[in-house]
Amino acid sequence: MSSEGKKADVRLKVRSASPKRKAREKSPRKSPRSPGQKSPGKSPRKSPHRKNTNILVDRFKPDKDQKKSKYKLKIRKSQIVHPQEVTESVIKITAAIFKKFDADRNGTISKGEFQQALGKIYNISHEQACDKTRLLMRDIHDEGFHHSRQSLENIDFNEFLNAVAESRTAKKGDKAYEIKEMVEKAAWYYGATKFVAKFYHPHKYDEYTENYKCCPPPIFIPLVSLFQLGVFIYFVEVHNGCGEDGLGDMSKQCPEVFDSMWAYQYTSAYYNEWWRFITYMFLHASGVHIATNLFLQLIVGVPLEMVHSWRVIVLYFIGGIAGSLAVSIFDERTDVVGASAGCYTLVGAHVANIFNYYSIMPFVWPRIFIFFTIFAIDIAISAYQKYEVGNTSISYTAHLAGALTGILLGAIMLDELPHHEGKWWKIIKNYGGMLIIVAFMLTAIIMNIVEPQQP
């Protein structure tokens, strides 16, 4: 081999052994482009201010280094500790922060990811971030939900959701207060301070008024009112047994209504006609009678139903039954028609609602004044009618029984929204009220079975 061949061979060996040369040979050469030509690899940047986009989503946009694959977080109801506290705003803020902390977007926040995120939002050193991570992960696991010891090294979405929900009502000194500070720091770092400030410090009335729902609309009370009006028209138009002006007089009883098989009669228990204890609510003895009851139950019942849904109609009928049972015990030889007991149950339930949510309900004192004025006027009229005029056509026993049922049972059944309440007061209210209602109704039923009023 010639010396020139040897030199060429050496040069080839040197070039083939160079890793930089290999990398340059493998990488494709870029073709030159004109000055006005755009790069084919880059797409035009979209404006971040898109229409119909949630502000919270814009402020917590994913980082560039995060994957662009679909990323959905699932809420498992079995893992939610306090479902009543997990509102839409809690889910939004939790999901936004969780997605920022979950760098690899695998559905869990590892200890390393959590430490890195805390270092950014707190602007602290590596050692301080380690200590903060250990403390906050312990608090999140205490306030959240986890299945095994292995999950203590990670944070899943559901326990993070529980912890954030619990932090909303946390006070200084609570474990959840540290979580609250973390959420506020994250909001400041990612530019959503106003949203989180409203989340933790809402207007005190927003917590109650945001529960008014027009969709689905309140239908129970309006449907019952329409049915009662239809029954009244049926007795006036078809039977007309009360004369021309009989149904327009509140004090005049209508024999056609009171003799109906649906009216409550004092012999109902004696003849085992137990349906009368509830069907009497659909009959009314005069035009003024039904107008008063429909006005009261619509103006009081519809706002309650917008917040508490089906619970209101259950209260309404339980109050009606309590009214007829009270009449069967305390009023001798008295027949009753009308929905007054159910109406006063709704009034009593509204009073109970005021005391349940006095800290977050708007216009508390005007409401208290209005409803206690109604009770005072009713008591004054009942005393005057009974002792001065001698008129016993209005069953004030049913009114009182319905009102007390609404207060005692409404304080329990309508206590479903998150609010601040003493532990012992809640126990006394729930168990005490339930004990009184159950004891009264069982006693009344037993008395009607053992010793009913006879004809």
Side-chain angles (χ1 to χ4, degrees):
M1 184 181 291
S2 65
S3 60
E4 292 180 2
K6 288 182 180 179
K7 290 180 182 179
D9 187 50
V10 171
R11 279 200 304 272
L12 288 174
K13 288 181 180 178
V14 171
R15 288 180 181 178
S16 62
S18 173
K20 292 183 179 180
R21 181 69 179 177
K22 285 182 178 181
R24 283 197 298 269
E25 288 176 352
K26 286 181 180 180
S27 61
R29 294 185 179 182
K30 296 181 180 179
S31 59
R33 62 176 187 270
S34 61
Q37 184 181 356
K38 294 183 180 179
S39 175
K42 294 183 179 179
S43 59
R45 187 177 179 182
K46 295 181 180 179
S47 173
H49 304 288
R50 294 171 294 179
K51 295 183 179 179
N52 300 326
T53 305
N54 193 299
I55 297 174
L56 184 65
V57 176
D58 283 339
R59 289 173 176 171
F60 285 96
K61 289 186 293 184
D63 294 330
K64 294 180 180 179
D65 57 346
Q66 290 181 336
K67 297 177 183 178
K68 295 183 179 180
S69 58
K70 291 184 179 179
Y71 185 45
K72 292 184 180 180
L73 299 171
K74 294 182 180 180
I75 300 175
R76 302 184 184 277
K77 293 182 179 180
S78 60
Q79 296 184 10
I80 301 301
V81 181
H82 302 291
Q84 70 276 9
E85 295 181 4
V86 180
T87 60
E88 186 177 352
S89 58
V90 174
I91 296 172
K92 282 184 178 180
I93 190 67
T94 306
I97 296 175
F98 190 90
K99 289 180 178 179
K100 295 298 292 185
F101 285 6
D102 186 13
D104 59 2
R105 301 173 72 81
N106 64 348
T108 59
I109 302 173
S110 65
K111 192 173 181 179
E113 291 172 341
F114 197 51
Q115 180 179 327
Q116 185 179 5
L118 293 183
K120 288 181 181 179
I121 64 175
Y122 281 95
N123 193 21
I124 53 180
S125 63
H126 178 75
E127 292 76 14
Q128 291 173 323
C130 288
D131 296 337
K132 200 76 176 174
T133 301
R134 178 172 47 82
L135 294 174
L136 276 173
M137 287 192 78
R138 183 194 64 190
D139 292 342
I140 290 172
H141 287 309
D142 289 343
E143 301 295 337
F145 184 97
H146 55 85
H147 292 285
S148 63
R149 285 285 180 185
Q150 295 178 354
S151 64
L152 293 175
E153 295 297 321
N154 298 316
I155 302 171
D156 63 28
F157 177 67
N158 289 278
E159 63 181 345
F160 195 66
L161 180 62
N162 285 326
V164 174
E166 190 69 21
S167 71
R168 194 172 192 182
T169 56
K171 298 180 181 179
K172 201 163 187 178
D174 300 341
K175 287 184 178 180
Y177 191 79
E178 296 291 332
I179 302 168
K180 177 180 177 181
E181 287 187 338
M182 179 200 69
V183 174
E184 290 176 337
K185 284 284 186 181
W188 178 84
Y189 183 81
Y190 295 117
T193 310
K194 290 183 179 180
F195 181 86
V196 175
K198 187 179 179 182
F199 172 75
Y200 279 120
H201 307 285
H203 194 278
K204 68 175 185 177
Y205 300 148
D206 291 348
E207 297 181 30
Y208 186 83
T209 54
E210 69 181 4
N211 291 284
Y212 281 102
K213 296 177 182 178
C214 295
C215 184
I219 58 173
F220 296 113
I221 296 296
L223 284 178
V224 169
S225 301
L226 284 174
F227 184 75
Q228 291 167 341
L229 183 62
V231 172
F232 177 75
I233 293 173
Y234 169 80
F235 275 96
V236 172
E237 296 295 331
V238 177
H239 291 282
N240 197 20
C242 301
E244 295 180 358
D245 57 350
L247 292 176
D249 186 3
M250 182 66 183
S251 62
K252 184 174 181 180
Q253 296 181 351
C254 177
E256 187 66 31
V257 174
F258 281 91
D259 292 340
S260 169
M261 65 177 293
W262 309 111
Y264 168 79
Q265 297 176 349
Y266 67 92
T267 57
S268 299
Y270 182 80
Y271 290 116
N272 289 325
E273 297 172 343
W274 297 98
W275 66 86
R276 292 178 181 267
F277 282 84
I278 189 170
T279 56
Y280 80 98
M281 299 175 66
F282 301 106
L283 305 176
H284 290 84
S286 70
V288 177
H289 189 199
I290 189 171
T292 305
N293 284 348
L294 290 185
F295 173 78
L296 191 59
Q297 71 187 30
L298 284 172
I299 202 171
V300 178
V302 170
L304 279 177
E305 189 180 340
M306 289 175 70
V307 178
H308 302 286
S309 187
W310 56 269
R311 291 175 173 83
V312 176
I313 200 67
V314 173
L315 268 175
Y316 179 77
F317 285 115
I318 292 177
I321 296 171
S324 58
L325 287 174
V327 170
S328 68
I329 295 175
F330 299 108
D331 292 344
E332 293 183 0
R333 307 181 72 82
T334 302
D335 299 340
V336 178
V337 294
S340 299
C343 292
Y344 274 85
T345 301
L346 297 179
V347 174
H350 209 125
V351 172
N353 226 27
I354 293 172
F355 286 103
N356 275 344
Y357 306 112
Y358 69 92
S359 61
I360 60 174
M361 182 180 286
F363 310 112
V364 170
W365 289 108
R367 290 171 191 254
I368 292 174
F369 176 77
I370 289 171
F371 289 111
F372 275 98
T373 301
I374 292 173
F375 284 133
I377 292 173
D378 191 65
I379 292 171
I381 292 175
S382 65
Y384 176 77
Q385 291 283 341
K386 187 171 184 178
Y387 297 107
E388 294 293 329
V389 181
N391 180 16
T392 58
S393 63
I394 302 174
S395 178
Y396 294 100
T397 304
H399 291 193
L400 183 60
L404 291 176
T405 302
I407 292 173
L408 294 174
L409 199 57
I412 303 170
M413 290 187 63
L414 304 185
D415 188 11
E416 56 172 329
L417 306 178
H419 63 100
H420 297 288
E421 190 175 42
K423 178 181 178 181
W424 289 106
W425 164 246
K426 189 169 185 177
I427 292 173
I428 293 171
K429 178 192 70 175
N430 290 351
Y431 288 98
M434 185 62 72
L435 182 63
I436 293 172
I437 293 294
V438 172
F440 163 72
M441 298 193 79
L442 283 178
T443 303
I445 292 171
I446 292 171
M447 288 182 64
N448 276 283
I449 293 173
V450 175
E451 194 176 351
Q453 294 189 45
Q454 299 182 5

